[in-house]
Amino acid sequence: MSNFKFSILVTGGTQGMGVECVRSLAQQLPDTLIVTSARTDPKDSATLINKQLNQTNVQFQRLDLSSLAAVRTFVETWSTSNRPPLRALVLNAGIQFPDDIQYSTDGIEKTFAINHVGHALLFHLLTPHLTPTARIVITSSGVHDHDLKGGFKPTWPSVQEIANPSPSFSTSTSGRTRYAISKLANVLWTYALARRLTAQGQGKTVVTFDPGLMPGTNLARDAGPVLRFLWYVVMPRAIPLLRRVYHPNVHTPRESGETLAWLAVGEECKAENGVYYEGRRVVGSSRDSRDEGKQEGLWEWTVGFVGRDEGERGAFGRLE
């Protein structure tokens, strides 16, 4: 790894918007190691991008965000691989389970586990590898807003109820709603982290990103056949129409992937901290996401859950 001065990690970087982000970063920064991670890389995206660009700066490393033990193994491998310091950490991976509630190996609701909890532990464990001015970008979604049209309607009863749903909460929430709750968690956690970075006078920055509706991505891989047909076949052809009749923030995976790369390394936005981007614009996030009590409650619960002992929980709380 001595040929590279810095590295960048992109989770969920083997398909859809993620792979487009990796390709854009690799092309812009041939002297930077771009590590793409996911549970699998069936199309060998890292090799494909290297061939397309005639470069060697993209690598794949397997990461299962649904398991805290697997996240720890990932970071142990990272630490022993002599990789250069991380100048950006792109926490992009996300999943939606449309049917009955599923649980992670750690016993919590699996959408929340993958989209928020695994990413939080990954950040804390990789903190010693971040440069002093590292950029953290967290992919959220406009569906985190209860007032957004579309029927997701996330509620935030308590973190414990979200992680370990009671029977009544389980029956009253759909897979779409659980996904929206996890995206709300992404925004809440971003603000809590940004506040701590500022209070400590650190040069690191964190922002959260709504890539908009992106028909054709793998988000609907667990949906039923009719929805998959609409998502993969019909809607990608209707993007110009969707922009006019639904919302301007509808994009192809390539468009949103290039924006995600811009947020990670773009000079124009590198000083922004604790803000919510819709595409390339800073906009206001939902009312619930701006509730400092919810932000702090999520932060404290998360540190308590992912830390394996008091010493580690203390270090995570201090961002060490």
Side-chain angles (χ1 to χ4, degrees):
M1 306 304 169
S2 58
N3 294 334
F4 302 111
K5 185 177 181 181
F6 298 109
S7 60
I8 295 174
L9 172 62
V10 181
T11 70
T14 61
Q15 51 197 336
M17 174 179 70
V19 76
E20 298 297 345
C21 173
V22 169
R23 182 181 289 110
S24 178
L25 290 169
Q27 187 170 27
Q28 293 178 63
L29 305 167
D31 58 349
T32 297
L33 175 66
I34 314 298
V35 178
T36 175
S37 66
R39 288 175 297 171
T40 60
D41 189 10
K43 296 182 179 180
D44 197 8
S45 63
T47 299
L48 180 62
I49 292 172
N50 283 331
K51 286 182 178 179
Q52 289 172 339
L53 301 179
N54 193 27
Q55 296 173 185
T56 60
N57 64 323
V58 180
Q59 290 186 356
F60 170 74
Q61 183 179 338
R62 185 179 184 276
L63 172 61
D64 180 1
L65 287 162
S66 71
S67 164
L68 297 184
V71 173
R72 290 182 181 278
T73 298
F74 176 93
V75 176
E76 288 169 4
T77 301
W78 184 284
S79 300
T80 58
S81 298
N82 195 31
R83 290 189 171 127
L86 278 159
R87 63 171 289 188
L89 181 57
V90 183
L91 304 179
N92 167 70
I95 195 166
Q96 180 178 167
F97 299 101
D99 298 318
D100 294 338
I101 286 182
Q102 298 187 36
Y103 291 88
S104 74
T105 56
D106 302 291
I108 61 174
E109 195 277 315
K110 201 169 184 179
T111 316
F112 183 66
I114 293 171
N115 295 359
H116 167 64
V117 178
H119 275 138
L121 177 60
L122 181 67
F123 163 78
H124 284 299
L125 294 177
L126 285 175
T127 294
H129 299 278
L130 298 175
T131 66
T133 57
R135 179 72 148 179
I136 301 101
V137 184
I138 302 170
T139 298
S140 180
S141 170
V143 303
H144 86 277
D145 189 343
H146 187 276
D147 296 327
L148 182 78
K149 64 180 181 180
F152 285 82
K153 303 301 179 188
T155 58
W156 193 264
S158 72
V159 186
Q160 186 60 39
E161 180 79 332
I162 292 163
N164 300 103
S166 65
S168 61
F169 190 69
S170 298
T171 57
S172 65
T173 58
S174 65
R176 285 160 54 91
T177 300
R178 291 190 291 274
Y179 174 76
I181 289 170
S182 75
K183 296 289 98 180
L184 175 54
N186 292 150
V187 187
L188 291 166
W189 194 79
T190 295
Y191 293 157
L193 174 57
R195 191 158 47 248
R196 285 161 172 80
L197 293 174
T198 298
Q200 294 181 8
Q202 294 199 25
K204 302 180 184 71
T205 55
V206 58
V207 296
T208 189
F209 170 54
D210 170 18
L213 185 69
M214 288 180 295
T217 63
N218 212 32
L219 184 64
R221 58 187 175 272
D222 294 314
V226 174
L227 182 56
R228 288 202 306 271
F229 176 76
L230 291 171
W231 184 254
Y232 292 115
V233 179
V234 177
M235 292 175 67
R237 293 173 169 82
I239 286 177
L241 175 63
L242 289 169
R243 284 175 178 157
R244 291 197 298 272
V245 303
Y246 175 68
H247 196 282
N249 195 27
V250 181
H251 302 284
T252 66
R254 172 163 290 186
E255 290 169 341
S256 290
E258 290 175 350
T259 298
L260 185 57
W262 175 77
L263 285 169
V265 300
E267 288 295 317
E268 307 96 317
C269 59
K270 68 178 183 180
E272 296 284 5
N273 185 42
V275 297
Y276 179 86
Y277 274 90
E278 182 182 273
R280 300 198 180 199
R281 297 184 306 125
V282 175
V283 300
S285 58
S286 70
R287 180 176 61 253
D288 279 348
S289 72
R290 299 192 300 273
D291 185 323
E292 192 168 319
K294 291 182 173 66
Q295 296 164 16
E296 290 303 303
L298 176 63
W299 180 271
E300 295 300 330
W301 181 93
T302 304
V303 167
F305 187 80
V306 302
R308 58 186 171 189
D309 54 42
E310 287 301 320
E312 192 172 73
R313 287 189 284 273
F316 289 173
R318 296 187 298 271
L319 301 183
E320 295 177 351

